[in-house]
Amino acid sequence: MTTNKSLFSLSLLFLKLFSYARADEHSHTYVDKEEVVLWMNTVGPYHNRQETYEYFSLPFCAGPKEAIGHYHETLGEALQGVELQFSGLDIDYKVDVPQTKYCEVDLTKQKYDAFVYAVKNHYWYQMYIDDLPIWGIAGEIDENGDGYYLWTHKKLDIGYNVDQIVDVNLTSEAKVKLIPNTKIPFTYSVKWKKSNIPYKDRFDKYLDPNFFQHRIHWFSIFNSFMMVIFLVGLVSMILMRTLRKDYARYSKDDELDDMERDLGDEYGWKQVHGDVFRPAYNCMLFSALIGTGYHISVVAFSVIFIAIFGELYTERGSLLSTAIFVYAATAPVNGYSGGGLYARMGGRVWIKQMVLSAFLLPCLVCGTAFFINFIAIYYHASRAIPFGTMVAVTCICLFVILPLTLVGTVLGRNLSGQPNYPCRVNAVPRPIPEKKWFMEPAVIVPLGGVLPFGSIFIEMYFIFTSFWAYKIYYVYGFMLLVLIILAIVTVCVTIVCTYFLLNAEDYRWQWTSFLAASSTAAYVYMYSFYYFFFKTKMYGLFQTAFYFGYMALFSIALGFMCGKNARICRHKCICSKDLYQCKDRLSVRLRSRAPERGHSEEEVHTMKILSSL
């Protein structure tokens, strides 16, 4: 009998543990009267979205229930300053709670000043129930401006569908005037109601289709598409008409009979065939930038595809965690592209180049983040990165990104490290002739970013608003289309810029074309100044440093990606065998047929000199 009772008790205990294991905020399923946790996250000024503090940094009070600890489940949560603290409120699944007092605050002078400061600066707070965010305002100012009031009652209306929470609404009530040396009671109530909202659609209420799917958004996409058609037509005209005409003229054997006409036809880009494949100045840095650009492009497109099918906005910090994981996993792309290019340019210090490629972007990001982190620590903000998170990021860089970049570099040097240029490089660099002022690299570089920026600046407004204001960006299909348009526009613009540069007999196309494409980032950063001063009401040292620091990182990463986009088609175009091999073939024919045509030794010597230039 005792054995049966023991077995029965163990069975009940097992069933109870099993029910707790399957019914919580992680599985998002509950049973009747199951505990539902209300997490308090952060509080801060409404106009400074990133300036947030722990909820209980203000003299709010918690409920009587025993505290529950919360740890950062993802790296993204820790980096985004998520600080969940248990509210102490007693909430059970499908159990209504009438208006109930849960705590009381003795309003001393210090607490009074803290609440007044919060009300003056329009402090808001954020809470979570079953991963659904809830926002509330701390208080408000009297219409005459001589009184400060605090909302003391939280009314929660929670919608459920079978065993899942699908909707949460907060109503702030019971406005109490702040008076020093008084007691302020805080109350709450919970009302459960049945809802027909499917669980998979419960985040739809947080989206704003009227904003993101506005006809201006569609018009900007159409405008960018028309720009692409125009640029593709322009580049096609240059390549198909001008270059093919030049190649056809060089390929005709019968035109070699008249030496003066052949040599007199030497002008423009055909003069630099022996220098166009000369390695770029500071090829180590150049290859590291190109490799980083390839890496960022792969990460950007991968994260966008994951976001389109995965709805990353439904999980706290999931987008940032996904980006970090993808960046670390795709590090071989950086090593392969940058290491292969460095080898083709004749670089020999490949280990140094590999380390530079691996740590170029992480050092920029970490340096900026740690600088802002010092300001966050001074402000006691929740955005201050914990020491453990810093160690985790450092370990990812040292033990994941660096080894994978090494693997990619070794593969790149062995598989694509041999130069395959269609013609040889002259031993002595050719002098660069004087050219018109608008053919100078200093003019080409800033002009190269105008059209690419024009194709994306409206999308920049939507992206900025979703990050710096209270919007959830979810139209990743638009973002994917805009990135594709940006890549096409950048390629077309830099091909035109490179053609004009080479036509002016200036073979320094690598850095010029890279910077011309990357100058798009400079226009984006300048646009961020306009957005800060005219579209937001941000203020304070912390928010200003956070805004301009991370906007600089965003612009730099965009510049790397645009520079890579420009190089892909540009390099293929310049390395085309039909473009420059004809020059070598012509030189060979001139030298082989010169004696047959009865030229003097002086003329033959002149032809050899000209054909080598």
Side-chain angles (χ1 to χ4, degrees):
M1 187 67 177
T2 304
T3 304
N4 292 336
K5 287 184 177 180
S6 300
L7 291 174
F8 182 72
S9 300
L10 289 173
S11 300
L12 290 178
L13 180 62
F14 175 77
L15 290 174
K16 187 175 182 180
L17 291 174
F18 178 76
S19 65
Y20 279 121
R22 73 175 186 85
D24 58 15
E25 62 181 0
H26 298 286
S27 62
H28 302 292
T29 57
Y30 298 86
V31 296
D32 291 354
K33 298 184 180 181
E34 177 69 29
E35 180 184 9
V36 177
V37 180
L38 174 64
W39 295 104
M40 314 305 293
N41 186 19
T42 54
V43 63
Y46 177 79
H47 297 299
N48 293 352
R49 183 180 179 183
Q50 281 69 36
E51 185 184 342
T52 55
Y53 308 91
E54 294 182 1
Y55 177 80
F56 291 109
S57 63
L58 283 180
F60 289 117
C61 54
K65 291 200 68 174
E66 184 179 354
I68 303 174
H70 178 271
Y71 60 91
H72 292 130
E73 298 179 352
T74 63
L75 186 61
E77 276 192 0
L79 292 174
Q80 290 184 342
V82 176
E83 292 289 345
L84 299 188
Q85 296 173 297
F86 183 50
S87 63
L89 302 185
D90 188 9
I91 303 176
D92 297 326
Y93 192 69
K94 294 185 182 179
V95 177
D96 293 342
V97 178
Q99 184 169 342
T100 304
K101 176 183 173 181
Y102 64 88
C103 70
E104 190 176 67
V105 173
D106 188 3
L107 200 61
T108 62
K109 182 66 169 64
Q110 183 179 3
K111 294 180 180 179
Y112 170 81
D113 292 338
F115 277 130
V116 168
Y117 181 84
V119 173
K120 280 184 177 180
N121 290 276
H122 307 285
Y123 269 44
W124 63 277
Y125 56 86
Q126 186 184 49
M127 306 183 295
Y128 282 97
I129 286 184
D130 195 51
D131 287 344
L132 289 175
I134 318 165
W135 293 274
I137 193 74
E140 66 177 29
I141 306 175
D142 186 76
E143 294 181 358
N144 299 325
D146 57 355
Y148 303 96
Y149 294 86
L150 199 67
W151 297 106
T152 61
H153 178 69
K154 295 179 177 65
K155 180 183 177 182
L156 294 169
D157 295 308
I158 306 177
Y160 67 92
N161 190 343
V162 189
D163 59 350
Q164 295 177 316
I165 297 175
V166 295
D167 188 26
V168 180
N169 291 296
L170 171 67
T171 305
S172 298
E173 298 177 346
K175 185 170 61 174
V176 175
K177 187 173 183 178
L178 294 173
I179 301 175
N181 301 319
T182 60
K183 293 184 181 295
I184 299 180
F186 286 86
T187 59
Y188 80 105
S189 62
V190 180
K191 180 68 175 178
W192 292 85
K193 58 181 180 180
K194 190 174 182 179
S195 175
N196 295 323
I197 299 175
Y199 175 79
K200 62 182 180 64
D201 297 332
R202 66 176 189 158
F203 270 88
D204 289 354
K205 62 174 291 186
Y206 300 102
L207 308 180
D208 191 355
N210 293 328
F211 176 76
F212 285 104
Q213 299 183 28
H214 196 276
R215 57 184 178 182
I216 293 179
H217 206 167
W218 288 100
F219 176 76
S220 68
I221 299 294
F222 176 76
N223 181 56
S224 301
F225 180 73
M226 296 303 296
M227 186 183 299
V228 167
I229 295 178
F230 168 74
L231 289 175
V232 170
L234 178 63
V235 172
S236 300
M237 181 185 68
I238 292 176
L239 295 181
M240 296 179 65
R241 296 185 59 182
T242 307
L243 299 183
R244 286 189 178 182
K245 182 179 179 181
D246 292 340
Y247 171 63
R249 183 167 59 250
Y250 269 79
S251 300
K252 293 180 180 179
D253 290 340
D254 53 354
E255 293 185 2
L256 297 177
D257 294 336
D258 189 352
M259 184 187 69
E260 293 183 359
R261 185 163 65 177
D262 286 335
L263 297 179
D265 196 45
E266 293 287 313
Y267 65 92
W269 57 267
K270 295 176 287 297
Q271 290 280 51
V272 296
H273 75 285
D275 296 276
V276 72
F277 300 111
R278 191 175 300 280
Y281 174 76
N282 198 347
C283 60
M284 179 181 295
L285 177 61
F286 184 76
S287 59
L289 292 175
I290 295 297
T292 304
Y294 274 98
H295 195 182
I296 294 174
S297 298
V298 172
V299 172
F301 282 100
S302 300
V303 172
I304 289 175
F305 275 112
I306 295 173
I308 290 175
F309 298 104
E311 295 184 351
L312 297 180
Y313 57 83
T314 61
E315 299 289 340
R316 292 187 300 269
S318 58
L319 184 63
L320 181 57
S321 299
T322 302
I324 294 174
F325 172 78
V326 174
Y327 185 87
T330 56
V333 175
N334 189 342
Y336 184 89
S337 53
L341 177 62
Y342 184 68
R344 290 193 299 272
M345 288 185 173
R348 299 187 180 278
V349 194
W350 66 274
I351 295 180
K352 186 177 179 180
Q353 188 275 337
M354 180 269 298
V355 174
L356 180 61
S357 294
F359 292 144
L360 178 60
L361 186 63
C363 284
L364 290 174
V365 174
C366 292
T368 304
F370 290 161
F371 169 74
I372 297 173
N373 197 53
F374 288 127
I375 302 177
I377 293 173
Y378 175 78
Y379 272 72
H380 302 285
S382 64
R383 290 276 177 172
I385 303 174
F387 178 75
T389 305
M390 296 182 186
V391 173
V393 172
T394 304
C395 290
I396 291 174
C397 294
L398 292 177
F399 302 115
V400 179
I401 295 178
L402 183 61
L404 291 180
T405 306
L406 174 61
V407 172
T409 302
V410 172
L411 292 175
R413 290 181 59 84
N414 287 277
L415 299 180
S416 63
Q418 297 299 323
N420 56 349
Y421 303 136
C423 59
R424 70 183 187 279
V425 178
N426 292 338
V428 180
R430 186 178 185 275
I432 299 175
E434 293 185 1
K435 48 186 175 294
K436 297 180 179 179
W437 64 270
F438 53 84
M439 292 292 186
E440 293 291 340
V443 178
I444 294 177
V445 167
L447 292 180
V450 174
L451 288 179
F453 172 73
S455 66
I456 64 169
F457 84 95
I458 294 181
E459 191 65 27
M460 288 296 101
Y461 170 76
F462 290 99
I463 295 175
F464 288 2
T465 302
S466 66
F467 188 80
W468 301 112
Y470 299 94
K471 302 287 184 181
I472 297 178
Y473 192 93
Y474 67 97
V475 285
Y476 290 98
F478 279 175
M479 183 182 290
L480 177 62
L481 187 59
V482 167
L483 275 182
I484 295 174
I485 291 175
L486 174 64
I488 297 174
V489 172
T490 305
V491 166
C492 293
V493 168
T494 50
I495 286 177
V496 174
C497 292
T498 304
Y499 173 78
F500 286 129
L501 187 71
L502 294 178
N503 212 39
E505 300 180 17
D506 189 344
Y507 51 83
R508 300 171 300 178
W509 61 274
Q510 289 99 331
W511 277 109
T512 302
S513 53
F514 177 86
L515 294 176
S518 301
S519 65
T520 306
Y523 292 103
V524 171
Y525 195 59
M526 287 189 290
Y527 176 74
S528 70
F529 280 81
Y530 165 80
Y531 186 87
F532 179 85
F533 288 108
F534 296 100
K535 297 297 182 180
T536 70
K537 296 181 180 179
M538 299 178 187
Y539 61 92
L541 174 63
F542 174 75
Q543 184 66 31
T544 302
F546 193 96
Y547 178 87
F548 287 107
Y550 283 104
M551 283 309 307
L553 288 179
F554 174 80
S555 301
I556 290 172
L558 182 66
F560 290 167
M561 186 171 63
C562 290
K564 180 276 308 177
N565 289 338
R567 180 175 175 79
I568 294 176
C569 189
R570 181 184 64 239
H571 181 73
K572 295 295 183 182
C573 183
I574 291 181
C575 288
S576 173
K577 293 185 178 181
D578 289 343
L579 202 60
Y580 279 109
Q581 274 190 342
C582 60
K583 178 68 182 178
D584 281 349
R585 290 198 299 267
L586 177 58
S587 300
V588 172
R589 290 166 183 164
L590 282 171
R591 289 193 298 266
S592 62
R593 296 182 58 178
E596 300 176 4
R597 293 157 58 181
H599 296 305
S600 64
E601 293 183 1
E602 183 179 356
E603 291 175 337
V604 173
H605 181 67
T606 302
M607 285 190 295
K608 289 182 179 180
I609 294 177
L610 291 175
S611 62
S612 66
L613 292 177

